[in-house]
Amino acid sequence: MLYRALPKTGDRLSILGFGAMRLPQKKGRIDEPRATAQIRMAIDRGINYIDAAMPYHAGACEPFLGRALSDGYREKVRLATKLPHWDVVASRADMDALLRVQLQNLNTDRIDYYLLHQLGLPDWLRLERLGIVDFLNCAKADGLIGNAGFSFHASYDEFAALVDAYDWEFCQIQYNYLDEQHQAGTRGLRYAASRGLGVIVMEPLRGGNLAKMPPEIKAFFDEAEQRRSAAEWSLRWIWNHPEVTCVLSGMNDEAHIEENLKIADEAQPDSLTPTELEIISCVVTAYRKLMKVGCTGCRYCMPCPAGVAIPECFDAYNAQLWGNKIEGLFRYLFMVARPLRDCGDAYASRCTQCGECEKKCPQHIEIRAHLKDVAARFEGLKLRLLIRLMRLIMGFKRRKNLKRGRALLP
Ligand code: SF4
Ligand code: SF4
């Protein structure tokens, strides 16, 4: 296993982290014996970073890890989890209460890497008014958390503002060869590193899609001297960036864990050859041609005066490329509908057809026409039901956790 140090602290993290959001399941629940064996095997082989969050596995992830990391495994890893700061966190005391619940869930007295979950600039501004800076500073001073960071899925401008908003030790971004210009992107990765933040990468395979190899893509990889799986190409491309500290993989299959561990023994920064980088660049171009809308995510079209999240709409629409219909809907739910966020929705149907965006799009995309297709594809009954269900479940769970946390406060 290779390790890379966090710039501000020198803490050495394994370049492969274990993401606990897609643990193996049996009858709709975490398959505890199998998931425990997988995590312990990964730790025995050198992984020292485990990433959790309160909502993962409908709230079962943190308590599971509390059990899985017994027998001395807790001491061998840096444990990361995230503050679900959305709608029900209405005061500084609520933050304290949720942290207490998470410590109890994880059966630990300290969370090594604590993130504000899926933070956007409007969320930060609200949390700032509620006392988040004091909360983070006090939690650190009291030894309840080690390092403070945030996970992120919005635009580069928001990302840069957030990086500068607090003295973070690290951040977590979505990054892979198709997302160079999407969300924080390469610009964000470099900016965070230039400000001394460690960067944890999530979605290295875009939810597993980049591990698949459509024939049009395979043709390019077949030209390479080295035979590699599509997953290996994706992971090596990310680790080729020296600014990346650790890559999270949501692993639940023994063969995949084995493959990832093997790659993580070798993937040095700046180790891909110009020819290999050229192959990946051809793969990206080929993917763009396969996509329904050839949007690169550059965001030159933004902001839209009507509030449409144009690149996010197309990102969800393009998810159909991998033949997984539900994935596009979920991307639309989280990135465009945003039912739990402070910034409100950014639906394609908000488009007033003003045409301003099309004048700025370097790809000359017929944005207005495509947005009509996007709205027709996603903004139906299924989305409305999903939003209602999500609000109901998440609201209920968080209120329950807050009640439990308040009872734990001194
Ligand atoms: S055409 Fe629609 S999406 Fe484009 S800027 Fe105008 S309102 Fe926004
Ligand atoms: S300007 Fe064009 S390519 Fe860039 S994000 Fe907007 S729609 Fe996509």
Side-chain angles (χ1 to χ4, degrees), residues 93 179 189 203 259 272 291 312 320 343 357-358 362 390 395:
D179 286 326
L189 169 70
E203 299 285 358
E259 183 190 11
L272 291 183
M291 287 170 176
E312 283 77 13
Q320 295 171 84
C343 45
C357 53
E358 290 182 13
M390 195 173 166

Side-chain angles (χ1 to χ4, degrees), residues 126-198:
R126 183 178 77 90
L127 292 170
E128 220 181 7
R129 288 192 294 275
L130 296 178
I132 190 82
V133 170
D134 190 51
F135 163 72
L136 291 172
N137 290 344
C138 289
K140 271 196 212 177
D142 294 343
L144 301 178
I145 67 171
N147 302 282
F150 64 95
S151 66
F152 184 82
H153 283 289
S155 68
Y156 169 79
D157 290 340
E158 277 190 48
F159 180 74
L162 287 173
V163 164
D164 293 336
Y166 181 74
D167 188 18
W168 312 102
E169 278 83 19
F170 73 113
C171 61
Q172 184 171 313
I173 60 171
Q174 172 171 327
Y175 194 56
N176 55 66
Y177 61 67
L178 276 187
D179 286 326
E180 272 219 86
Q181 293 181 303
H182 190 223
Q183 298 186 15
T186 303
R187 215 154 47 116
L189 169 70
R190 293 192 176 138
Y191 186 67
S194 76
R195 305 284 295 170
L197 274 70

